[in-house]
Amino acid sequence: MVTVDAMALGKDYATQECSIARALEIIGERWTLLVIRDALYGVRRYNDFLVHLGIPRAVLAARLQALTAEGILEKRRYQQSPPRDEYVITERGIALWPALRSLGLWGRQHYTEIQLRYFRHADCGTELGPYGECPACATVVPVEDVLMEPGPGLDPDPADPVSRALLVPRRLLQPLELPVQPGRV
Amino acid sequence: MVTVDAMALGKDYATQECSIARALEIIGERWTLLVIRDALYGVRRYNDFLVHLGIPRAVLAARLQALTAEGILEKRRYQQSPPRDEYVITERGIALWPALRSLGLWGRQHYTEIQLRYFRHADCGTELGPYGECPACATVVPVEDVLMEPGPGLDPDPADPVSRALLVPRRLLQPLELPVQPGRV
DNA sequence: CATCACAGGTTCGGTCACTGAACCAAGGTT
DNA sequence: AACCTTGGTTCAGTGACCGAACCTGTGATG
């Protein structure tokens, strides 16, 4: 049992008067930003986060609860029987897209040889600029209009079903619908 | 003694094919982004990082070494006798400015009531837009032309000398020159 | 009805990173 | 000689993270 207090504290940077430090208190723990990334990609279910991230179950449960408490994810019942909840990213979480985009771009430019994913403006197909803008349309592209496509650096035949589902070009935020397991009718 | 191997591994997200995950393996550990933030603010010396961050000495030493190994900071001798080194941010580290800017903006909009710092285009005084651009000049402002000013939310009389020095409006990257200790001539 | 599968957790022991305090060392100053 | 400054290292204690096992509620299967 984790108390609300222990949750609220987390790892704080008490002496820092800085909005970066405030942000890091919320999303700076291990795995947290990857959970948010997956949520932007359309992942919503506990088990999908689990297999896609390879995160320990207890840590995932703690992160989902903390992010829900912070209003970054929203827990929502999507079926009554059996009762099942999904975690949907909120406006506050979506607002982290530019930061994730910047981080990813930095990682690619400095540490990734081959392009792993393309992010395009769904309306015109143009690849996004460094700030998430469309160079052709000269506008900031809303997150739901960002089209994610696999790049040449991505494993074309990954083991887990979530990675496979993310190989199909798709818009951000679009809920991930996993194909029904083989063996079922 | 920390081996180079243990350093290189750190906490990795082995299963993730993602440039965000690659980035987080480098800069995702506790304190790391705040060290880089301070380096962008012009902090260069071990002791200045120490007092400004309130970070344990061992952790600071490990972070400085890791960031130097990653080419984000550069260790440079600034005086021969006694031998003293400073840690200067490199191009690779400066390239993290947009990501830090985005994170800070998110933190301010969602968790900070009052503005703590202003970032302006030094040439014209206009406050930067969300992507580090100058709305007036319609250009992306180079980091060295960003002017940092204290906002109303900042403690006007902080205890540590580094925070005091950062209260003066100053450009990013400009080396922090601490006033000589009182009692010296 | 008993059993199994599945989603979504909780529990637990071991390990590893972070923490704060103490200690150390090279050089300079008084 | 004693002390100060800078930049560390060492060490014991704590807390976060880890993987594996277990649990629970519900529906499906035989």
Side-chain angles (χ1 to χ4, degrees):
Chain A
M1 178 63 173
V2 183
T3 71
V4 174
D5 261 17
M7 189 68 53
L9 293 181
K11 352 179 83 180
D12 65 333
Y13 298 103
T15 70
Q16 295 299 303
E17 286 185 303
C18 172
S19 49
I20 297 171
R22 295 286 86 73
L24 290 174
E25 288 172 1
I26 313 294
I27 49 80
E29 286 175 306
R30 185 152 161 73
W31 295 111
T32 302
L33 274 182
L34 294 185
V35 170
I36 294 170
R37 176 206 62 182
D38 271 16
L40 281 167
Y41 287 179
V43 177
R44 295 183 165 191
R45 295 164 60 164
Y46 180 93
N47 212 53
D48 291 347
F49 286 110
L50 196 70
V51 303
H52 189 229
L53 293 171
I55 182 179
R57 307 178 76 92
V59 177
L60 176 58
R63 294 295 181 274
L64 291 175
Q65 189 183 333
L67 288 172
T68 302
E70 288 295 342
I72 292 168
L73 300 180
E74 186 189 334
K75 190 172 184 170
R76 154 190 316 176
R77 180 139 304 182
Y78 70 91
Q79 98 182 6
Q80 291 299 335
S81 168
R84 292 282 182 264
D85 298 321
E86 59 184 4
Y87 296 89
V88 185
I89 194 161
T90 64
E91 282 300 318
R92 180 176 285 190
I94 294 172
L96 279 166
W97 164 244
L100 281 170
R101 164 84 184 152
S102 297
L103 267 184
L105 201 60
W106 182 83
R108 176 164 79 74
Q109 290 174 345
H110 294 276
Y111 294 98
T112 311
E113 49 315 322
I114 320 173
Q115 184 120 359
L116 295 173
R117 298 179 199 279
Y118 297 107
F119 295 95
R120 304 182 185 281
H121 187 193
D123 293 359
C124 70
T126 310
E127 198 173 355
L128 295 193
Y131 308 112
E133 84 283 11
C134 174
C137 307
T139 51
V140 174
V141 179
V143 177
E144 60 270 20
D145 293 336
V146 173
L147 186 70
M148 179 169 72
E149 284 185 7
L154 218 51
D155 176 2
D157 186 26
D160 77 282
V162 176
S163 294
R164 267 208 299 283
L166 292 178
L167 283 182
V168 180
R170 56 200 314 283
R171 287 177 186 236
L172 295 186
L173 304 186
Q174 182 188 323
L176 192 70
E177 303 288 349
L178 284 195
V180 181
Q181 291 87 343
R184 289 266 204 129
V185 184
Chain B
M1 175 62 172
V2 183
T3 72
V4 173
D5 261 16
M7 189 68 52
L9 293 181
K11 352 179 86 179
D12 65 334
Y13 298 103
T15 70
Q16 295 297 304
E17 287 186 302
C18 172
S19 49
I20 297 171
R22 295 286 84 74
L24 290 174
E25 288 171 3
I26 312 295
I27 49 79
E29 286 175 306
R30 185 153 160 72
W31 294 111
T32 301
L33 274 181
L34 294 185
V35 170
I36 295 170
R37 176 206 63 182
D38 270 17
L40 280 167
Y41 287 180
V43 176
R44 297 184 164 190
R45 294 164 62 163
Y46 180 93
N47 212 53
D48 291 347
F49 286 109
L50 196 69
V51 302
H52 189 229
L53 292 171
I55 182 178
R57 307 177 76 92
V59 177
L60 177 59
R63 295 294 181 274
L64 291 175
Q65 189 182 333
L67 288 172
T68 302
E70 288 295 342
I72 292 169
L73 300 179
E74 186 189 335
K75 190 171 184 170
R76 155 189 315 175
R77 181 139 304 182
Y78 70 91
Q79 99 181 5
Q80 290 299 335
S81 169
R84 291 284 183 260
D85 299 320
E86 59 185 1
Y87 295 90
V88 185
I89 195 161
T90 64
E91 282 300 319
R92 180 175 285 189
I94 294 173
L96 279 167
W97 164 243
L100 281 170
R101 165 83 184 152
S102 297
L103 266 184
L105 202 58
W106 182 84
R108 176 164 78 77
Q109 289 174 345
H110 295 274
Y111 293 97
T112 311
E113 48 316 322
I114 320 173
Q115 184 120 0
L116 294 173
R117 298 178 198 280
Y118 298 106
F119 296 94
R120 304 182 186 281
H121 187 191
D123 293 1
C124 70
T126 310
E127 198 174 355
L128 295 193
Y131 307 113
E133 85 283 10
C134 174
C137 307
T139 51
V140 174
V141 179
V143 177
E144 60 270 20
D145 292 336
V146 173
L147 187 69
M148 179 169 74
E149 282 184 9
L154 218 53
D155 176 3
D157 186 27
D160 76 282
V162 176
S163 294
R164 265 208 299 282
L166 292 178
L167 283 181
V168 180
R170 56 201 314 283
R171 289 179 183 235
L172 295 186
L173 304 184
Q174 181 188 324
L176 192 71
E177 305 287 350
L178 285 194
V180 181
Q181 291 86 340
R184 290 265 205 128
V185 186

